[in-house]
Structure formats: structure tokens, C-alpha cells
Amino acid sequence: MDEFAVPRPEHDAEEPQVDDPTITAISRHLASVMDPELRLPITELGMVEDIAVDAEGAATVHIKLTIEGCPMRGRITDDVTAAAVRAPGVRSAHVVLGVMTPQERADLKTHLRGPGGARKNPFAQPDSLTRVYAVASGKGGVGKSSVTVNLACAMAEAGLRVGLVDADVHGFSVPALMGITDKPTQLDEMILPPVAYGVKVISIGMFLDDNRPVAWRGPMLHRAIEQFLTDVHFGDLDVLLLDLPPGTGDIAISVAQLLPGSQLLVVTTPQAAAAGIAERAGSLSQQTDQRVAGVIENMGPMTMPDGSTFALFGAGGGEDVSRRLSESLEQHIPLLGTVPLDTALREAGDDGDPLVRSAPNSPAGSALREISARLAHQPRGISGKPLPFGPA
């Protein structure tokens, strides 16, 4: 697999002169314009090259894109135009797009990654405050990816900064479930992930031109996940979710090695056979030194129009997995919630519009939002973390 790449700047571009009050006002409004991929103000990223206003109140704003073929150029143009015309005294605005020089991109990368700009896995660093959840299942077909996508979107809607890694390299489905068709932007060796519904997302499917299969073995799979964590710039996240492939194979082990602080979320259906297999996925934590954050039961009993319940896949599988894992791991493993069988969940996935957004008050949407709230309310702990200051 080719190395992924994405650039960053070594020093910020020179700020536009702001002697004129109107230019000062425009500059202030531009500080509210976020780069769609980096989710940081364009003024902080050194993208505003120059601002000019003529006697008629027509503003011209020169913007430097990170790369020539920036897929977000249209959105950036619209956002900058809308911000500029809000400034007092501005009657119209025209945006002129340019491109950063190699040195400016290098400066940007240094700004994003810190001094030296070294490639590293930020989520494995001792001072990382990001909660990392690896969503696992014992077998396929339990709706693990749908659960992962909806949890990510619900957390983002609640105001958290969320990243999502589609770690199911052979069976990737996250881009389709989230309606993502954009390719990642590459800045040298740094990758800027597409953003959908406030979630930064990366998947091997974004690098393929068609629906061809990925025929990789262990070392290549490990390298792919490693590159997702080191080369993709997620920025400071509150939560990182990984959609693991079913089972306890190479990728599950690689994730445990690359993200030693990650916690497992085990997804099962109520069916006894599925619950027994799901227990194995949770028990993997004994060998990888991971913590199991809880169990999620998907495709649970649904409420019929007459008020009765219909348990197509049975009932109690989630409670059974929770109980058995609590016994085998000798710690309480909670059942975080049951997501009822709901055709709306499948329809939302087919439409690329996650249920927690398209039908948040549906039975499954409500259950997923409640589970997300339970996970989101766990604070980012600083116990044992070094603080960025010392004694005077």
C-alpha cells in the first residue's frame, strides 16, 4: 500500500494589513470561517492572504487553499463571501483563490502537529485525553457498523469532537452509511479526513476507485490501521470510535497494540448463538489488556402498533453477554442499552443519513441516543496525565 500523505504549514501566512476599519471588520468576521476539513478558523491556518475594499464597498479577499485541487474550494468560497458581506460597510465580496507554497504547507503541518512535525500516533501518547472505543462483535450481521456510525453522529450532535476509523478493511461500509463520497485531502504525508455530520471519518474505501476487494494479510492490515492513526490528522478529539471487523483476528489485535488505552464496546443480537460468539470478542480483552466499556444489544424486541412486542431474534442476549463477561472478567460489564429492531435504521443506512439525525425520536434512534449519552458522559480523565506546565 502506498504511503498516505498530507501537508501542514511551518509558519502562518502573513496576516493581512488591518489599518482600515472595514478591513479590520472583515478580518474579524473571517475568523469565524472554519476550514471544512481541519475544523479550525482559516485565519489561524494562514489561509487569508490579503483583504482589500474599494470606495464602493466592494471587498476582495485573497484565500490560499492548501492544495490546488482542494475539494472544498466551493464551500470555502461561499463561507468567506458570506462572512465578508456581514462586515459593516461591505456591499459585495469577491473571493480570489490561490494555493499555498510548499513552505507555507510545511508551516501549516508544523502548526497542526506541533514543533518538529513528527509523525506519531497521538491517541497512544501518555498525555492523550481522547476516549477511544473499539466497537467489536463476535460475528458479522449484527449491525455493528450501523451502531458505530449512529453513536458517532449522536456524540457529535451533542457537541463532542468525534473521529471515526473504519477499521473493517475487508468489509468497509462506513462511507456508504454516512453518505460520504468525498476523497480525503492529502498534504504531502498528512491526510485530512472528510467530515460528515460533524464526524471526521477515514476508511480504506475512500482510497479505492471502484468496489474492488482488498486482498491483504496481517502485516498489510496492521500497516493500514497504523497509517490511519499516524498520517490522518484528526486534531484534538473527545472521542475516537473504531469500527472493527467481526471476530478476534489480526485487526482487533493490531488495534489493541496501537491503542493500548482503547476500550471495547461489544455488539450482539438477542439470539443465543450470537450472544455466545459475542462473549468471545469481549473476552479478548483479557489477552490484550483492554477494558470492556459495555455491551450493546442490537435488533432487540420491537413494539408493534397494538402495543405488543415482537422478538424476531429472541430476547435477553445482551443481558446474557453482560452477565457472562462480568463473571469471566471479574468486573461489572454493563448492558448499555437495547436497540429495537427497526426498519428505519436500515433505511437510514441505505440513504447515508444516520438514524439519530434523520429520525432521532424513532424507537431505535432514541435507544442509540441514550447509549451515546451514557458513553459521552464519561469525562476525559486527567488522572496520571502530565500537565503542560511546571513550577515557576
Side-chain angles (χ1 to χ4, degrees), residues 61-330:
V61 183
H62 292 259
I63 298 293
K64 287 192 172 183
L65 302 174
T66 52
I67 60 172
E68 179 69 42
C70 177
M72 296 290 106
R73 59 193 302 127
R75 178 173 170 182
I76 292 173
T77 298
D78 293 343
D79 290 350
V80 169
T81 301
V85 296
R86 288 200 301 268
V90 176
R91 298 171 61 93
S92 63
H94 174 61
V95 178
V96 178
L97 298 179
V99 182
M100 288 183 176
T101 66
Q103 182 61 54
E104 288 169 337
R105 282 198 298 271
D107 291 346
L108 175 59
K109 289 188 290 182
T110 297
H111 173 70
L112 295 174
R113 286 181 169 171
R119 296 168 64 187
K120 63 181 180 181
N121 173 3
F123 309 110
Q125 304 305 308
D127 59 350
S128 174
L129 299 179
T130 302
R131 295 194 305 277
V132 181
Y133 294 117
V135 186
S137 67
K139 62 187 291 294
V142 301
K144 170 182 51 60
S145 297
S146 294
V147 168
T148 306
V149 162
N150 278 278
L151 290 180
C153 290
M155 290 181 184
E157 196 163 81
L160 297 181
R161 292 165 294 187
V162 183
L164 173 54
V165 173
D166 188 354
D168 192 351
V169 175
H170 291 136
F172 57 87
S173 60
V174 168
L177 291 172
M178 298 193 71
I180 298 174
T181 57
D182 294 330
K183 299 287 187 181
T185 298
Q186 297 192 230
L187 300 176
D188 300 333
E189 82 289 350
M190 181 187 289
I191 301 171
L192 305 183
V195 180
Y197 310 116
V199 180
K200 296 182 178 181
V201 185
I202 197 68
S203 171
I204 194 65
M206 298 172 180
F207 298 90
L208 303 177
D209 294 327
D210 51 30
N211 199 32
R212 59 189 173 91
V214 179
W216 292 345
R217 290 183 174 177
M220 289 291 286
L221 296 173
H222 180 92
R223 180 58 182 146
I225 302 303
E226 185 177 38
Q227 283 191 256
F228 284 160
L229 297 173
T230 58
D231 294 350
V232 176
H233 180 74
F234 286 102
D236 183 30
L237 298 179
D238 295 302
V239 179
L240 176 67
L241 290 158
L242 294 98
D243 181 28
L244 299 182
T248 57
D250 290 326
I251 290 181
I253 296 171
S254 291
V255 166
Q257 293 173 342
L258 294 167
L259 297 165
S262 60
Q263 304 177 55
L264 290 175
L265 293 174
V266 180
V267 178
T268 185
T269 62
Q271 188 176 7
I277 299 172
E279 183 188 358
R280 296 178 209 157
S283 296
L284 179 67
S285 65
Q286 291 180 307
Q287 301 176 47
T288 59
D289 293 326
Q290 290 171 290
R291 175 176 170 266
V292 179
V295 176
I296 300 172
E297 183 182 74
N298 193 28
M299 304 182 191
M302 63 187 298
T303 301
M304 305 300 289
D306 62 0
S308 62
T309 59
F310 178 49
L312 179 62
F313 293 102
E319 291 181 350
D320 192 35
V321 174
S322 171
R323 176 184 56 79
R324 288 196 279 182
L325 283 176
S326 296
E327 292 174 355
S328 62
L329 299 178
E330 298 182 344

Side-chain angles (χ1 to χ4, degrees), residues 361-385:
N361 296 319
S362 63
S366 296
L368 286 162
R369 288 192 296 113
E370 290 174 5
I371 295 170
S372 167
R374 292 189 65 178
L375 294 170
H377 287 160
Q378 298 181 20
R380 300 204 298 180
I382 62 172
S383 177
K385 307 285 188 182

